[in-house]
Amino acid sequence: MDFKYTDTQLQIADMVRDFADKHIRPDMMKWDEEQFFPVDLFHKMGELGLMGVLVPTEYGGSGLGYFEYVTVVSEVAKVCSSIGLSTAAHNSLCTGHILYFGNDEQKKKYLPKLASGEWIGAWGLTEANTGSDAGNMRCTATKDGDDWILNGTKNWITHGKSGNVAVVLARTGEPRAKRNVTAFIVEHGTPGFTAGKKENKLGMRASETTELVFDNCRISDSQRMGEVGDGFPQAMKVLDGGRISIAALALGIAKGAYEAALKYSKEREQFDQPISNFQAIAFKLADMHAKIEAAEALIYQAADLKNRGEKMTKESAMAKYYASEICVEIATDAVQIFGGYGYTKDFPVEKFYRDSKLCTIGEGTSEIQKLVISRDILKS
């Protein structure tokens, strides 16, 4: 497998770096402190094709593959993890679900708005009582003539307040029954659909996370995606790609923390020499570099399978598990290399450190990834 960066990837990386330096870096700490979600920024990103990376050109997207998508997410995350997370969630979850499972009418209606950044998307699976236990969800959709009535709450939803449209997974059968979940597209402004509590988070503070609340929310059957009961299998396929997204996010955070630590280690002097001359620091940097290379190889292996349309559940889980875990380790080591300065908000590694932990939790915890991997290797 040849995972050498293509010319397109290199051009995308240059474009994203230039955009991030101009439009993200100057305000990212302010956004973080104020927990401000910069909606206008994503409209600008849409103009560059960064909000519909995987969407075919016929629907207004960039029509690119997963190698280019990993490049986009990781390069954004190297500067600001919050913006990287929102970029990933918009592209792979809401937009991705409609792309893979929407009918022609739904794709034509929603994908151009999402791909252009005119609209921001949300995706609702998790609930307060059902994180990994999605088969026991309490948010329900009840058939009423040609409509469905949604009732319940979704939690930990990226863009839950500011998103213009959400893909929502709701229970349409008995708890824990087979094929008891169905996917619906719900636009904000629909009566009975509101945003609830906004979470006050440790990290990723400029990426909005709220509840979605449904109170007798009536939607047409035309908003249903796929057949009744198809929702859970759809969600699992969406999450296969979503794991690559979080792995790419973790890769960007790890690279950002490593590059900051490497630069600082060459500039910071103790005992009349750069601290990078000391084996304790040099060995930390060597470990960080090796972990990044290994994570990148796992990510591109999964991305290659995804591009070719082959099964990649185990590979995406391995990439997400490993990249997210080493992301936390590298951010921790970066703070250690910076010493006391690393504990302050004047230097970038403090933010990478706070943001990194989400990668081991979001879109399936590390424990769930190990469950997915172990089931695959033990099924024979």
Side-chain angles (χ1 to χ4, degrees):
M1 292 178 287
D2 181 9
F3 297 146
K4 183 180 179 182
Y5 271 34
T6 64
D7 289 342
T8 300
Q9 284 177 276
L10 292 172
Q11 291 169 6
I12 290 172
D14 287 341
M15 176 186 70
V16 173
R17 279 194 290 266
D18 182 62
F19 178 86
D21 283 339
K22 290 179 180 177
H23 300 287
I24 299 175
R25 197 182 300 278
D27 295 308
M28 66 180 189
M29 289 308 297
K30 179 183 177 184
W31 297 337
D32 181 80
E33 291 287 339
E34 297 177 358
Q35 300 193 64
F36 175 74
F37 179 59
V39 174
D40 289 344
L41 175 75
F42 293 94
H43 298 328
K44 293 177 183 176
M45 292 177 69
E47 293 172 2
L48 295 178
L50 303 180
M51 300 297 277
V53 180
L54 302 166
V55 175
T57 55
E58 64 184 289
Y59 298 116
S62 298
L64 299 172
Y66 263 80
F67 285 2
E68 293 80 11
Y69 176 57
V70 169
T71 301
V72 169
V73 174
S74 60
E75 287 294 334
V76 173
K78 278 173 65 174
V79 176
C80 180
S81 325
S82 293
I83 305 305
L85 172 61
S86 282
T87 303
H90 172 91
N91 273 279
S92 72
L93 297 180
C94 178
T95 305
H97 200 138
I98 296 172
L99 173 63
Y100 297 133
F101 299 107
N103 58 37
D104 288 342
E105 183 179 340
Q106 290 165 343
K107 289 179 182 180
K108 290 176 182 177
K109 181 177 180 180
Y110 292 108
L111 289 180
K113 292 181 179 179
L114 290 165
S116 68
E118 178 186 351
W119 278 20
I120 293 174
W123 193 73
L125 174 65
T126 304
E127 299 178 8
N129 64 308
T130 57
S132 303
D133 184 17
N136 196 33
M137 65 176 60
R138 295 178 183 173
C139 182
T140 61
T142 305
K143 194 79 161 61
D144 183 32
D146 293 330
D147 296 336
W148 292 86
I149 300 175
L150 274 63
N151 280 289
T153 304
K154 295 292 180 179
N155 293 67
W156 306 106
I157 308 304
T158 306
H159 315 145
K161 180 181 178 181
S162 298
N164 303 91
V165 64
V167 171
V168 180
L169 286 298
R171 182 164 56 81
T172 49
E174 294 300 315
R176 300 200 183 286
K178 291 185 177 180
R179 305 189 70 82
N180 68 341
V181 175
T182 305
F184 300 91
I185 304 172
V186 189
E187 296 182 22
H188 265 286
T190 302
F193 177 27
T194 57
K197 174 189 174 187
K198 180 179 178 180
E199 302 297 340
N200 184 9
K201 300 174 296 183
L202 168 70
M204 303 289 189
R205 290 165 63 85
S207 180
E208 178 185 271
T209 306
T210 73
E211 293 177 324
L212 298 180
V213 180
F214 301 93
D215 182 8
N216 291 318
C217 175
R218 181 180 290 271
I219 58 173
S220 167
D221 187 57
S222 64
Q223 299 301 102
R224 170 174 51 84
M225 276 196 288
E227 299 299 322
V228 174
D230 282 352
F232 191 73
Q234 290 178 6
M236 293 304 98
K237 291 179 182 178
V238 169
L239 286 173
D240 277 349
R243 289 177 184 131
I244 296 177
S245 296
I246 299 300
L249 176 67
L251 178 67
I253 295 171
K255 284 185 174 182
Y258 164 71
E259 291 174 8
L262 178 65
K263 182 175 183 292
Y264 181 79
S265 74
K266 294 177 180 179
E267 297 171 349
R268 171 70 167 170
E269 291 193 355
Q270 292 285 275
F271 305 101
D272 303 318
Q273 58 184 309
I275 62 172
S276 58
N277 286 355
F278 298 110
Q279 192 177 80
I281 302 299
F283 278 15
K284 276 191 189 300
L285 292 167
D287 280 341
M288 295 159 81
H289 183 74
K291 290 172 182 175
I292 288 171
E293 292 277 317
E296 199 158 23
L298 284 171
I299 292 167
Y300 279 104
Q301 174 185 242
D304 179 55
L305 290 171
K306 183 70 173 173
N307 280 340
R308 290 191 276 123
E310 297 185 18
K311 187 175 183 296
M312 36 67 79
T313 300
K314 180 188 72 175
E315 288 76 10
S316 65
M318 290 193 300
K320 196 272 187 188
Y321 167 56
Y322 185 76
S324 63
E325 290 291 336
I326 65 100
C327 166
V328 174
E329 294 170 10
I330 289 171
T332 302
D333 283 343
V335 171
Q336 198 70 18
I337 289 172
F338 271 78
Y341 292 113
Y343 204 64
T344 72
K345 293 183 181 293
D346 295 328
F347 291 84
V349 292
E350 176 270 345
K351 184 174 182 296
F352 286 128
Y353 180 71
R354 287 187 290 108
D355 290 347
S356 65
K357 187 57 189 170
L358 182 278
C359 296
T360 69
I361 299 170
E363 294 195 36
T365 63
S366 291
E367 289 73 22
I368 289 295
Q369 305 313 313
K370 287 190 279 188
L371 179 65
V372 171
I373 297 163
S374 63
R375 282 179 173 173
D376 187 274
I377 63 179
L378 293 171
K379 68 183 178 182
S380 59

